[in-house]
């Protein structure tokens, strides 16, 4: 058994970072990087926030088709296929940017990427849950979070920095065509890598063969999910945990880009990429890894409220930046270090909560998809409203509102009950 566990851990180290990097990349492109691209191409903040949020709906609706994945013997096939499809679609998106109706076509392709990405997430989480024991899940949750956050930094930091530098040399359109092409190449290479290194896991429900049986499974998945003890507590908690983030994540890069006269910080694209891709990168990774090991050491039940504080309170830096509008890049970078460390440290608690409290039971993959879909719905709704709200309130009062929006999450983290035993 010891040798078997060691073998699993060695193999896990070869695919967990890469597969969760692949999970994070398309999500962050849609959630953040595309907002900067569209702003630089003359699209309004409200339109950007609405449409780049709306096309993220597949991450909330993915429970509807998660049982279909339960019908097949290998979740690995879905992981690889969606990574390759996403890569090719990014390349196609790049060629739409010079067109007159670029926004319509590029948003449609980003919508396809979102559907592919949501399907990819179901399969990836299924491999993770079905491969690792609960103790190993706790141990590697920090790795998972770190890899996802690295994708956030590469996408919202490194590639945005490249886009900013290219904008100065070849113009906005050609710059973002190049960067979208890079996203595509990256995803294709990840898909090819995982053909070899991702483990092939047999699904628990591989006996389902027909559409009717698939519908029956879906109904059973829904029924068993909502029959779980404390399930409504869990639904409210999962929705509220990222509520404030949903408001902040779309507007923060637009706030950085907006001029001083408009209430922003007046940074150029490459400066935004530099902040996220250097200082943000280190703090993100450190926060995720420390959060994972901290939770593993003292137990999720004891750590949850502290990690919820670490996740939500750092949003205060955006309000401070909006009121004082510092021009010093080091001050702005220090604020991002604080916010991203807290994000990484606190986010792993939510993921582990869903795995250990919501997922256990007959349909692990499908129930985790339900939980993560609910989580993304809690993120999606405020994100859709954020552009109109920031236009109405202005950046200063908008980020005050973000702080108010953290209160329900903190109350939920303090009061949420535990139904399954953890490693306390």
């Amino acid at each position: 058994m010891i040798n078997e566990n060691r073998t699993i851990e060695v193999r896990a180290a070869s695919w967990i970072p890469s597969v969760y990097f692949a999970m994070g990349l398309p999500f962050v492109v849609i959630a953040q990087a595309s907002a900067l691209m569209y702003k630089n191409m003359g699209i309004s903040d409200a339109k950007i926030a609405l449409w780049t949020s709306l096309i993220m709906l597949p991450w909330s609706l993915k429970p509807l088709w998660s049982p279909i994945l339960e019908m097949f013997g290998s979740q690995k096939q879905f992981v690889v296929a969606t990574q390759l499809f996403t890569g090719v679609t990014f390349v196609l998106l790049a060629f739409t940017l010079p067109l007159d109706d670029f926004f319509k076509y590029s948003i449609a392709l980003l919508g396809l990427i979102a559907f592919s990405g949501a399907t990819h997430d179901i399969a990836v989480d299924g491999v993770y849950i079905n491969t690792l024991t609960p103790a190993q899940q706790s141990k590697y949750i920090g790795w998972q979070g770190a890899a996802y956050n690295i994708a956030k930094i590469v996408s919202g930091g490194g590639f945005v920095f490249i886009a900013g530098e290219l904008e100065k040399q070849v113009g906005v359109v050609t710059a973002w065509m190049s960067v979208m092409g890079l996203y595509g190449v990256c995803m294709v290479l990840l898909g090819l890598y995982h053909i070899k290194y991702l483990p092939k896991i047999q699904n628990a429900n591989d006996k389902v063969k027909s559409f009717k049986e698939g519908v029956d499974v879906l109904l059973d998945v829904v029924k068993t999910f909502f029959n779980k003890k404390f399930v409504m507590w869990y639904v409210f908690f999962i929705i509220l945990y990222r509520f404030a983030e949903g408001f902040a994540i779309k507007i923060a890069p637009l706030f950085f880009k907006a001029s001083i006269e408009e209430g922003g910080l007046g940074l150029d694209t490459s400066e935004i990429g530099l902040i996220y891709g250097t200082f943000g990168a280190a703090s993100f990774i450190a926060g995720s890894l420390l959060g994972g090991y901290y939770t593993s050491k003292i137990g999720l039940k004891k750590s949850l409220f502290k990690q919820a504080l670490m996740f939500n309170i750092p949003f205060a830096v955006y309000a401070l930046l909006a009121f004082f509008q510092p021009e010093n890049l080091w001050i702005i970078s220090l604020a991002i270090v604080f916010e991203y460390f807290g994000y990484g440290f606190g986010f792993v608690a939510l993921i582990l909560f869903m795995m250990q409290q919501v997922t256990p039971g007959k349909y692990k993959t499908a129930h985790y998809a339900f939980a993560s879909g609910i989580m993304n719905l809690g993120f999606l709704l405020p994100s859709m409203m954020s552009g109109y709200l920031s236009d109405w309130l202005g950046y200063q009062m908008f980020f005050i509102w973000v702080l108010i929006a953290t209160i329900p999450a903190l109350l939920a983290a303090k009061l949420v009950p535990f139904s399954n035993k953890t490693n306390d």
Side-chain angles (χ1 to χ4, degrees), residues 19-94:
V19 84
Y20 279 94
F21 178 88
M23 178 187 285
L25 196 72
F27 184 88
V28 177
V29 173
I30 297 173
Q32 287 186 307
S34 64
L36 277 173
M37 177 183 76
Y38 286 132
K39 187 171 183 67
N40 290 349
M41 296 178 74
I43 307 298
S44 68
D45 286 8
K47 191 173 182 180
I48 291 169
L50 174 63
W51 284 101
T52 60
S53 299
L54 188 61
I55 59 173
M56 296 174 73
L57 194 58
W59 274 288
S60 295
L61 299 180
K62 63 184 179 181
L64 298 179
W65 63 89
S66 62
I68 297 174
L69 272 65
E70 298 271 3
M71 294 169 57
F72 296 88
S74 175
Q75 292 161 338
K76 174 179 179 177
Q77 295 171 345
F78 284 97
V79 174
V80 172
T82 51
Q83 287 174 1
L84 295 175
F85 177 83
T86 296
V88 171
T89 309
F90 268 126
V91 174
L92 293 176
L93 189 154

